Amino acid sequence: MSVDNVKLRTKSLIPLVIMAVLFAGVIGFGATRMLDQQASSGQVTDHSFPAILKMARVGRLLVQIGNDVHKSLVD
C-alpha cells in the first residue's frame, strides 16, 4: 500500500493523530513526574516543617527582645 493511494483526508489526519499521541504521552509523563514530586516534597515538609517553625519562632522572639529593649530605653 502506497501513500499515493491513500485519500487526502487520511493523509492530513496522520500527522494530527501522531501529534495527539505525542501530546498524550507528554501529559502522562508530566503527570507521573508531578505525582512523584508531590510525594517526595510531602516527605520533606513533614520532617523539616517542625524545625522551620521553631526557627521562625526564635527569630520572632529575637525581634521582640530587640523591640522590648528599645521601648525600655525610650520610656
Side-chain angles (χ1 to χ4, degrees), residues 39-51:
S40 65
S41 68
Q43 289 176 343
V44 169
T45 55
D46 289 344
H47 296 295
S48 66
F49 186 71

Side-chain angles (χ1 to χ4, degrees), residues 66-75:
N67 289 341
D68 291 341
V69 168
H70 182 265
K71 282 183 185 178
S72 66
L73 290 176
V74 171
D75 290 337

Side-chain angles (χ1 to χ4, degrees), residues 9-42:
R9 181 177 64 176
T10 307
K11 289 179 187 176
S12 63
L13 285 179
I14 290 174
L16 292 175
V17 170
I18 291 171
M19 290 297 289
V21 169
L22 287 174
F23 182 73
V26 168
I27 294 297
F29 178 72
T32 57
R33 295 288 296 172
M34 288 292 287
L35 290 174
D36 293 342
Q37 196 72 8
Q38 182 181 8
S40 65
S41 68

